[in-house]
Amino acid sequence: MAPRLNLFDWWSRDTPKGTPVIVKMENPNFSIVEINGLNDAFKPVNKSRLKNAKQVRWVLYLKANRAVGFVAWLLGTIKKRLLLRQGVDNASEKLGKGKLMLRIIKAFLVTLMVILAFEMVAHLKGWHHFEKPNLYILHSYEIQGLFHVVYVGWLEFRTRYIAPFVLFLSTFCLVLFIVQSLDRLILCLGCLYIKLKKIKPRIDGGSFDLDDLEGALYDYPMVLVQIPMCNEREVYELSISAACQLDWPKERIIIQVLDDSNDESIEWLIKNEVSKWSQKGINIIYRHRLDRTGYKAGNLKSAMSCDYVKDYEFVAIFDADFQPTPDFLKHTVPHFKDNPELGLVQARWAFVNKDENLLTRLQNINLCFHFEVEQQVNGVFLNFFGFNGTAGVWRIKALEESGGWLERTTVEDMDIAVRAHLNGWKFIYLNDVKVLCEIPESFEAYRKQQHRWHSGPMQLFRLCLPAIIKSKISIWKKLNLIFLFFLLRKLILPFYSFTLFCIVLPLTMFIPEAELPMWVICYVPVLMTFLNILPAPKSIPFIAPYLLFENTMSVTKFNAMVSGLFQLGSSYEWIVTKKAGRSTESDLLADADEDEGTMIQPQIIKEQKLIKPVKKINKIYRKELALAFLLLTASVRSLLSAHGLHFYFLLFQGVTFLLVGLDLIGEQVS
């Protein structure tokens, strides 16, 4: 087990209390405090009298020993994983473009290693021509040898051919960087305005009163609740239980459990859970598809084709790990009353495991900004935002008029939101209504999720662009959809983040003619990071890891964006995000004892006992590792050029990539 180096333990340290003990020793080398009474034991003591030079020295020795032990463990881990390949496996590179990008990064790394060797030799020989603002090309009589000829030739080639291209690329990325930073700043100002003015969606037609159920039952609209899932062994029980406890008249609600599982044991467990709640009087139905065609969109589309769905007016959708509160429908459905143009009410996500590890804390920062700022501002000022796929209530008429669920992309939620917006439907976002859910706790699961979230929008952009241009909505709404919703936030952001900070910035270390200004490298990124982290103020201590980790994730996001835009590899593949959940075997056995009348099969429980936990195999992410060594190489070059801030930024960024490549973040999660 790796030693944990927690820098925040001192926050939670408590002062030890208890009965004081006096020990007398011959020739003591420390001070003794006399206690005359019971109350004297808890009086503040002058701490300086309790310490001497020998004690301080031993404390320093102990801290130094711990630090050396951590470094030794880290080096040993790197040796075992990278050199000896013990207990690790390569992250799957199923996509063709993934292998291509890995080869490009490796070739780039080898090239820069060669350039670094040239620079180091030139530095040792005193050839500092590259440090001059205006490159001075030597005359033939100043040449000192063959190596000097090659080095001077490289300088001339760099100045005439490479530097202009890098300058153009850096200028292009700077323009995109400024535009995206202005967009973030405007979103933050909009959120501040909403907070100051206390703007919230209001219910025009009044809420529902369950106490007056007998006289006004017909006033409650018919609500369909859908729970799509696929092999969700860990969380199926939580979502079904939460949906069955929604505070709504039983005669006006029906719950569909839409199971795409291909594991027979999980299928039986979900079916038995549905049967248990059905015997308690809940109107719940279990549906299972034989194949997973269309993934989640195909599942929802199949469920909406049922004959009884035509009797329902609204549909609430919850993914398998979502746990709505009993009053969820009372806070969302009333917004539809006397508001016939409203098509969607979206609630906010809240996370049960946001403090599980460093990875979940960093995800929480991004998602808090998304819900607190992006969704809220777009909902208030535009009445449009991307549906989050869950924790929302749709008017079924809006779904039908917009074409229903389509299986053409892996972001069916964004697809239906765009089509509904083009048909004139309005959306409402409720920042105060929160639904508990989980976020990935391992880097492997998080990377797969981010790949789907960033490849799908590019697929959708290709398909929706003609419809957006031909639609009858206003020009400014078309511009918002094309340039802000798709291009700026889904394409430009991953492009410039990867290109500017992972390609151009290391190149400028080897090409001083194209050096980036300090405000691009440090000041603006720190300011934007601070704005992103404001919706989650408890995460401010993690601002530095967050800044570097976002650059690390730009590799995956850029990869996904390119694959979705050009339909490369398996960009349409949907891998279910692994969840932790809380259901255990003991919980299942307890439920079996309490509910003797249920249909839980003994052989299913026996199968659960026989299942052995799969040993976790850590992954080595080769693209991240290659880019880490690239940045560390650039750090060495930056040190030679005496660009101190460049050096430290690239060094920290490279170490962050290295830690991600070794999967140290997810190692603590079993």
Side-chain angles (χ1 to χ4, degrees), residues 390-583:
T390 178
V393 181
W394 276 95
R395 189 188 297 270
I396 295 181
K397 182 181 179 181
L399 291 177
E400 293 174 347
E401 290 186 356
S402 302
W405 299 104
L406 298 182
E407 308 166 4
R408 56 183 182 175
T409 68
T410 57
V411 284
E412 77 295 326
D413 46 6
M414 186 181 296
D415 189 357
I416 188 63
V418 171
R419 286 185 281 116
H421 180 58
L422 296 179
N423 279 273
W425 292 98
K426 296 181 179 180
F427 302 165
I428 284 180
Y429 173 72
L430 302 179
N431 192 53
D432 296 333
V433 180
K434 300 180 180 180
V435 181
L436 289 176
C437 62
E438 289 187 13
I439 46 181
E441 297 180 2
S442 68
F443 181 72
E444 182 179 5
Y446 178 61
R447 194 178 74 154
K448 292 177 180 178
Q449 180 197 70
Q450 291 299 304
H451 185 275
R452 176 168 54 87
W453 283 7
H454 286 82
S455 65
M458 290 298 96
Q459 294 176 334
L460 182 61
F461 178 65
R462 289 167 52 97
L463 298 172
C464 283
L465 184 58
I468 295 174
I469 296 175
K470 297 177 183 178
S471 64
K472 298 180 180 180
I473 60 176
S474 61
I475 296 296
W476 72 272
K477 287 185 177 180
K478 293 182 181 180
L479 295 177
N480 172 68
L481 271 176
I482 295 174
F483 293 104
L484 290 181
F485 187 76
F486 278 112
L487 290 181
L488 183 61
R489 297 168 188 168
K490 303 298 188 298
L491 188 148
I492 291 177
L493 178 58
F495 171 79
Y496 93 79
S497 180
F498 173 77
T499 307
L500 183 63
F501 293 105
C502 299
I503 300 298
V504 175
L505 184 57
L507 276 177
T508 59
M509 302 300 98
F510 297 90
I511 306 173
E513 297 87 353
E515 184 176 355
L516 293 174
M518 197 63 63
W519 60 270
V520 175
I521 299 174
C522 181
Y523 303 140
V524 175
V526 171
L527 176 61
M528 290 298 104
T529 302
F530 184 74
L531 291 178
N532 286 0
I533 214 170
L534 276 182
K538 293 184 179 180
S539 302
I540 290 179
F542 305 100
I543 187 170
Y546 172 73
L547 174 63
L548 300 178
F549 185 72
E550 278 302 290
N551 289 335
T552 302
M553 285 307 302
S554 66
V555 184
T556 296
K557 295 176 181 178
F558 178 80
N559 238 346
M561 182 268 293
V562 172
S563 67
L565 187 62
F566 298 103
Q567 300 291 303
L568 302 177
S570 55
S571 57
Y572 187 67
E573 183 181 6
W574 184 311
I575 300 176
V576 178
T577 304
K578 181 66 176 178
K579 304 174 184 69
R582 298 173 186 168
S583 298

Side-chain angles (χ1 to χ4, degrees), residues 225-244 255-263 266-274 284-289 291-292 295-300 303 317-322 389-390 574 576-577 579:
V225 178
Q226 294 180 331
I227 311 175
M229 58 180 63
C230 179
N231 295 328
E232 304 284 3
R233 182 189 300 272
E234 296 81 8
V235 294
Y236 76 92
E237 194 173 3
L238 296 174
S239 57
I240 295 175
S241 174
C244 291
I255 301 172
Q256 286 183 326
V257 179
L258 311 176
D259 186 19
D260 269 3
S261 302
N262 53 14
D263 188 324
I266 300 177
E267 179 184 345
W268 271 104
L269 289 172
I270 299 174
K271 189 180 298 184
N272 291 327
E273 181 70 15
V274 170
I284 185 171
I285 295 176
Y286 175 81
R287 284 178 55 87
H288 180 265
R289 295 197 305 166
D291 61 87
R292 203 178 164 217
Y295 302 114
K296 182 179 176 181
N299 201 357
L300 295 173
I317 302 174
F318 302 102
D319 282 350
D321 58 316
F322 278 71
T390 178
W574 184 311
V576 178
T577 304
K579 304 174 184 69

Side-chain angles (χ1 to χ4, degrees), residues 76-94 102 106 443-444 447 616-629 657-667:
T77 302
I78 295 175
K79 177 182 178 181
K80 288 191 298 182
R81 298 189 185 186
L82 290 182
L83 302 179
L84 304 180
R85 317 290 296 170
Q86 295 179 359
V88 300
D89 189 15
N90 285 328
S92 59
E93 299 287 354
K94 296 180 180 179
L102 176 60
K106 284 183 175 180
F443 181 72
E444 182 179 5
R447 194 178 74 154
K616 176 177 171 56
I617 299 179
N618 290 303
K619 303 289 184 180
I620 287 185
Y621 298 96
R622 296 181 293 173
K623 288 195 294 292
E624 285 80 1
L625 276 178
L627 195 51
F629 287 116
F657 274 81
L658 194 63
L659 292 178
V660 171
L662 294 173
D663 199 17
L664 298 183
I665 294 176
E667 185 184 16

